[in-house]
Amino acid sequence: MGIFDLFKKRDADREQQASLESGLEKSREGIFSKLSRAVAGKSKVDDEVLDQLEEILITADVGVDTTLRIIERIEARVARDKYLGTEELNTILREEVAALLAAAPAASSSSDLGMLFERDAEGNPFVLMVVGVNGVGKTTTIGKLAARLTAAGKSVFLGAADTFRAAAIDQLEVWAQRAGARLIKQQMGADPASVAFDTLSAAKAAGADVVIIDTAGRLHNKINLMNELTKIRNVMQKVVPGAPHEVMLVLDGSTGQNAFEQAKQFSAATQISSLAITKLDGTAKGGVVIGISEQFRIPVRYIGVGEGIDDLQVFDRERFVASLFGEWRK
């Protein structure tokens, strides 16, 4: 990598960090303003401060179980160190949340795309199946990811297997055109598995690098959901053995506890291998990323912190924690 490329990468990293900090502003400010009130007039971290911290984390949608684990970690430090001043609380909170996330499965990759997206030994394309309910930003996430992939020199096919809504097919077509990807579609009401079969067949014949399959965003009867996704899987494996190589669940971070419930439902219906958590900008519920990552033990690949294509970011847990629990402005 030349010096020009290094400067270019540095500038891109700075832009991403600024976008992340801006996107998490409401979550960060909500936590800090409440922390400031919790420690007002206090000189040390005591039971009252910890009780209020517990409430702050729960209202930030970190989740009850994860919040209790964080409080237990801080209590252990208080007991060990005997005296902890309230001015240290933010630093301790950052450290303990980072340690908790470090114990969760990592989504790290040597690729700036968050996944390697490499064809297999037989030259078959990498297949990503995307699931999630309507309205979470699933199709937009697919479009933004496709744009990043094509910008990185990958040839991408998109499969419009959400055939229950004409709008879903139309929206994916717009994104395919913007991203420079090829869309495979059928008419509304067609068999989703048939669309997946056609997409993989066309992509394989064209020597494509990546296939992304959109699926219907309905949280209907769990058995029906399981059967539908299983059928799509089985049909894809007839074309590309081992497909899909990854199943990514898209969740709307601004819905807080509803996102937890969706993660539970989809995890019960199919094997989820990664998460994308969208719409974190403009919400005070950014803590949901911590709870979902820690509780479901599924790596977070991407987070959405804005409307722009570049606002779909590869999840970096250290950068996320630093942005969410930045310097405490008392």
Side-chain angles (χ1 to χ4, degrees), residues 210-248:
V210 181
V211 174
I212 306 177
I213 301 294
D214 188 15
T215 62
R218 300 168 300 150
L219 253 185
H220 49 339
N221 180 280
K222 188 169 69 178
I223 298 300
N224 291 339
L225 176 65
M226 185 182 299
N227 290 341
E228 184 175 294
L229 296 178
T230 299
K231 182 180 178 182
I232 294 173
R233 277 176 174 272
N234 291 341
V235 166
M236 288 196 290
Q237 288 173 7
K238 293 179 180 179
V239 184
V240 176
H245 303 105
E246 182 131 358
V247 179
M248 187 166 68

Side-chain angles (χ1 to χ4, degrees), residues 39-228:
V39 302
K42 297 278 189 178
S43 62
K44 67 175 183 177
V45 177
D46 57 17
D47 289 344
E48 184 179 351
V49 170
L50 289 175
D51 286 344
Q52 292 187 59
L53 175 59
E54 181 179 323
E55 182 180 343
I56 290 167
L57 293 175
I58 290 174
T59 56
D61 277 286
V62 172
V64 175
D65 291 341
T66 302
T67 292
L68 292 177
R69 273 188 274 278
I70 293 170
I71 296 299
E72 286 172 2
R73 285 171 173 263
I74 295 176
E75 285 176 333
R77 288 186 63 162
V78 171
R80 183 180 70 239
D81 298 340
K82 304 303 179 188
Y83 179 90
L84 288 176
T86 53
E87 70 278 2
E88 301 173 81
L89 183 56
N90 184 57
T91 300
I92 296 167
L93 186 57
R94 282 181 56 177
E95 291 174 355
E96 294 305 331
V97 170
L100 202 64
L101 284 178
S108 59
S109 167
S110 58
S111 167
D112 289 338
L113 295 167
M115 283 185 270
L116 291 176
F117 291 105
E118 297 294 342
R119 285 183 282 179
D120 65 20
E122 285 71 42
N124 294 314
F126 181 95
V127 181
L128 171 66
M129 184 167 76
V130 182
V131 301
V133 301
N134 294 332
V136 297
K138 178 165 55 72
T139 306
T140 301
T141 297
I142 291 171
K144 290 179 178 180
L145 181 55
R148 293 190 62 168
L149 286 164
T150 56
K154 302 285 187 181
S155 57
V156 181
F157 275 60
L158 304 181
D162 182 354
T163 60
F164 293 91
R165 294 185 306 130
I169 300 173
D170 294 342
Q171 186 184 7
L172 196 62
E173 188 163 27
V174 170
W175 270 110
Q177 293 169 356
R178 290 180 63 184
R182 182 174 169 186
L183 178 71
I184 303 297
K185 64 177 183 176
Q186 295 182 17
Q187 71 278 11
M188 182 180 147
D191 181 6
S194 175
V195 177
F197 181 89
D198 288 351
T199 306
L200 266 66
S201 297
K204 186 175 180 179
D209 296 306
V210 181
V211 174
I212 306 177
I213 301 294
D214 188 15
T215 62
R218 300 168 300 150
L219 253 185
H220 49 339
N221 180 280
K222 188 169 69 178
I223 298 300
N224 291 339
L225 176 65
M226 185 182 299
N227 290 341
E228 184 175 294

